[in-house]
Amino acid sequence: MTEWSSWIQTHPLQTAGLRLIAGTAGLCGLAVLLTPIFMIASANPVFGLLAVSVVAIAGYASVRHRYDGTAAAQSPDPVTKLEHQYVNSDITETEFERRLNTLLETDAAVGQLAANDTTEGQQTEYEVDTT
C-alpha cells in the first residue's frame, strides 16, 4: 500500500474535502477550456462539431494512456507482496523464508538467462567455424 492510499483510508473527511475542491477546480478549468469551442460551435456548427470531436478523442486517448500506465506501475513486486502477507500474519515465518528463497532463486535464474541472451549474437569458443 502506498503512503497516499494509507493516508486516504485513515483521513476520510479530509479526503472528501480535497476531492470536492479538486472536482470544483477541474470543472472550472474545463469550462474555461470549452468556452472557445462553444463560441466556434455557435458561429459554425460544422467547425464546432469538429472541435468537440477533437477534444473528445484527445480526452479519451489521455484517459486510456493514463490507466494503461497506472495498472503496471501499481502492481507490487512479489517480495513486497510476500512481506505484506508476513506482516499481516497471513503466513508463518518459515513459509515466508521458504517463499522468499524461492523468489530469490527465480530472480537469480532469470538474471542468468538475461545475461546469456546478451551474448547470443557473439560466437563462443565452442562455436568456432571449423571449415
Side-chain angles (χ1 to χ4, degrees):
M1 197 176 335
T2 64
E3 293 177 29
W4 279 110
S5 59
S6 63
W7 185 88
I8 288 170
Q9 288 179 352
T10 57
H11 299 87
L13 292 176
Q14 289 89 342
T15 302
L18 287 174
R19 287 183 178 175
L20 182 66
I21 291 169
T24 304
L27 287 175
C28 290
L30 185 64
V32 168
L33 291 174
L34 292 179
T35 299
I37 292 174
F38 291 135
M39 292 172 64
I40 292 171
S42 65
N44 188 339
V46 174
F47 286 133
L49 181 63
L50 179 66
V52 168
S53 300
V54 168
V55 169
I57 291 170
Y60 175 75
S62 171
V63 168
R64 184 167 179 123
H65 174 71
R66 178 178 169 191
Y67 285 115
D68 288 345
T70 304
Q74 287 184 349
S75 62
D77 64 306
V79 175
T80 305
K81 188 176 178 183
L82 188 61
E83 287 172 348
H84 283 293
Q85 289 177 346
Y86 177 66
V87 169
N88 293 334
S89 300
D90 295 337
I91 58 174
T92 63
E93 183 177 356
T94 55
E95 180 68 13
F96 171 75
E97 290 175 356
R98 185 187 66 77
R99 289 185 186 182
L100 183 61
N101 286 335
T102 303
L103 284 172
L104 294 176
E105 289 170 2
T106 304
D107 282 347
V110 169
Q112 183 65 30
L113 286 173
N116 290 341
D117 285 346
T118 58
T119 60
E120 187 176 300
Q122 300 172 353
Q123 196 173 37
T124 62
E125 61 183 300
Y126 302 110
E127 297 173 344
V128 175
D129 189 17
T130 57
T131 52

